[in-house]
Amino acid sequence: MKIAQKTIAITGAGNGIGRALALALLQKGARVAAIDISEQGLQQTEKEAGALSAQLSCHAMDITNKQQIPGLIEAILHRHGCIDGLINNAGVIQPFVTIKELEENDINRVMNINFFAVVYLIKGFLPHLLQRPEAHIVNISSMGGFLPVPGQSIYGASKAAVKLLTEGLRSELLNTGVRVTVVFPGAVDTEITKNSGVQPPKMSEKEFKKYKSLSADTAASIILCGMEKNAFRVLVGSDAKFMDFLYRLWPKMAANYIQRSMQSLLNR
Ligand SMILES: NC(=O)c1ccc[n+]([C@@H]2O[C@H](COP(=O)([O-])OP(=O)(O)OC[C@H]3O[C@@H](n4cnc5c(N)ncnc54)[C@H](O)[C@@H]3O)[C@@H](O)[C@H]2O)c1
């Protein structure tokens, strides 16, 4: 879908990749509805948008609160007149512990934000997107959605669920004007650990630097390029591309490789 002149709603637009997406969309001539639980984050996004903030609306909301979705949509329609796109980007990681140690609250929180909120946002927005001549839904999964990362198994499961949800949705909407794209970022340089309220993994600075991170701006530009090309799937970063290749050819070898190289992520 061409982005200029379109109205696009993005969740998690108060930080990281979501903010970079919001700013890049504004620069491409879109109107943007930025949604985030963090009011402070949204204020910063608005500040960074500068003069382009005239095309931006900010909506502070916890996306797991599904009763608020109709009001959110009403507010976006009131401000922008229509909705042509939804980017489900908001997400959190889990504490870096094994499934055995992970607490029920953390399991539910990750699934509610990363998966169920995405389902209910799609159900809320879809009737409006179907009324448009062309529209697009982009769901941000993760490299961890196809590759098992020790200490992030529930996060990975939530992102694997997003992958199949997105692919199924795409098939269901093929004969409509709504295109659907799933995105698999590798490591991106954001503050997701801090924003998720999670203790950073106990690894040395040197070890940490082994995970070459892409900037959020570069990730956003790759994602929007995929959106404009109506891509089926978008792999963000050389790590995601390499692991996708390895995992599809030799899944057990890929899983063992990640287990060996990333087990220091576990906070024991
Ligand atoms: N950073 C990475 O390395 C990486 C890798 C793969 C996938 N991803 C995915 O990319 C997406 C963006 O991650 P990021 O790295 O930019 O993280 P981030 O922490 O910088 O941004 C996520 C945003 O989501 C918001 N959010 C969290 N819970 C929310 C809720 N309940 N309601 C509304 N907003 C909420 C946060 O306030 C935050 O602004 C996530 O879905 C993440 O899983 C990130």
Side-chain angles (χ1 to χ4, degrees):
M1 182 182 80
K2 286 279 159 266
I3 284 166
Q5 311 297 322
K6 300 290 192 333
T7 299
I8 315 231
I10 316 174
T11 66
N15 273 291
I17 300 170
R19 174 182 292 147
L21 281 168
L23 298 175
L25 283 165
L26 288 168
Q27 274 150 19
K28 282 176 175 280
R31 296 175 292 268
V32 173
I35 303 151
D36 206 290
I37 198 169
S38 163
E39 268 184 60
Q40 228 185 342
L42 288 172
Q43 278 163 13
Q44 183 61 28
T45 302
E46 188 167 19
K47 193 171 153 202
E48 290 184 29
L52 292 171
S53 64
Q55 306 299 321
L56 173 77
S57 61
C58 290
H59 309 264
M61 169 186 167
D62 179 346
I63 55 166
T64 64
N65 197 340
K66 65 179 178 213
Q67 285 78 11
Q68 287 185 12
I69 295 176
L72 166 72
I73 293 170
E74 212 173 291
I76 298 172
L77 288 173
H78 182 72
R79 170 68 193 271
H80 300 285
C82 61
I83 307 170
D84 307 285
L86 169 66
I87 305 182
N88 282 303
N89 162 80
V92 290
I93 58 168
Q94 65 168 83
F96 289 94
V97 297
T98 61
I99 296 172
K100 183 167 164 275
E101 291 160 313
L102 193 61
E103 289 182 10
E104 196 176 326
N105 280 349
D106 290 317
I107 296 170
N108 292 338
R109 175 168 184 255
V110 167
M111 289 308 293
N112 285 337
I113 297 173
N114 293 3
F115 180 64
F116 287 112
V118 173
V119 174
Y120 292 113
L121 282 162
I122 289 170
K123 282 182 75 65
F125 277 75
L126 195 50
H128 301 276
L129 298 177
L130 284 164
Q131 288 171 19
R132 304 300 299 155
E134 59 168 355
H136 208 121
I137 295 173
V138 176
N139 290 339
I140 310 294
S141 175
S142 168
M143 177 169 82
F146 60 80
L147 189 74
V149 177
Q152 286 297 323
S153 299
I154 296 298
Y155 172 77
S158 73
K159 292 298 187 175
V162 167
K163 170 191 182 287
L164 265 184
L165 169 76
T166 314
E167 290 171 355
L169 185 70
R170 177 190 169 274
S171 298
E172 290 176 8
L173 294 173
L174 258 190
N175 296 325
T176 73
V178 184
R179 300 280 74 89
V180 181
T181 298
V182 60
V183 178
F184 303 101
V188 181
D189 189 10
T190 69
E191 300 204 315
I192 192 167
T193 306
K194 188 176 117 208
N195 295 335
S196 302
V198 161
Q199 282 288 104
K202 286 186 188 118
M203 58 165 58
S204 69
E205 192 69 13
K206 194 173 153 219
E207 264 183 304
F208 191 68
K209 281 199 173 133
K210 279 197 306 199
Y211 304 105
K212 253 197 321 180
S213 286
L214 214 61
S215 75
D217 288 344
T218 306
S221 109
I222 294 168
I223 295 165
L224 295 187
C225 181
M227 188 176 175
E228 290 210 291
K229 287 183 179 157
N230 291 332
F232 174 66
R233 66 207 290 266
V234 176
L235 291 157
V236 180
S238 53
D239 50 355
K241 284 185 189 153
F242 175 68
M243 290 317 301
D244 175 61
F245 171 76
L246 198 66
Y247 188 77
R248 280 200 281 165
L249 277 184
W250 299 289
K252 185 173 159 189
M253 187 211 270
N256 286 348
Y257 168 73
I258 288 293
Q259 192 275 337
R260 278 194 309 275
S261 52
M262 298 188 89
Q263 60 179 313
S264 54
L265 281 179
L266 278 169
N267 281 335
R268 292 201 180 81

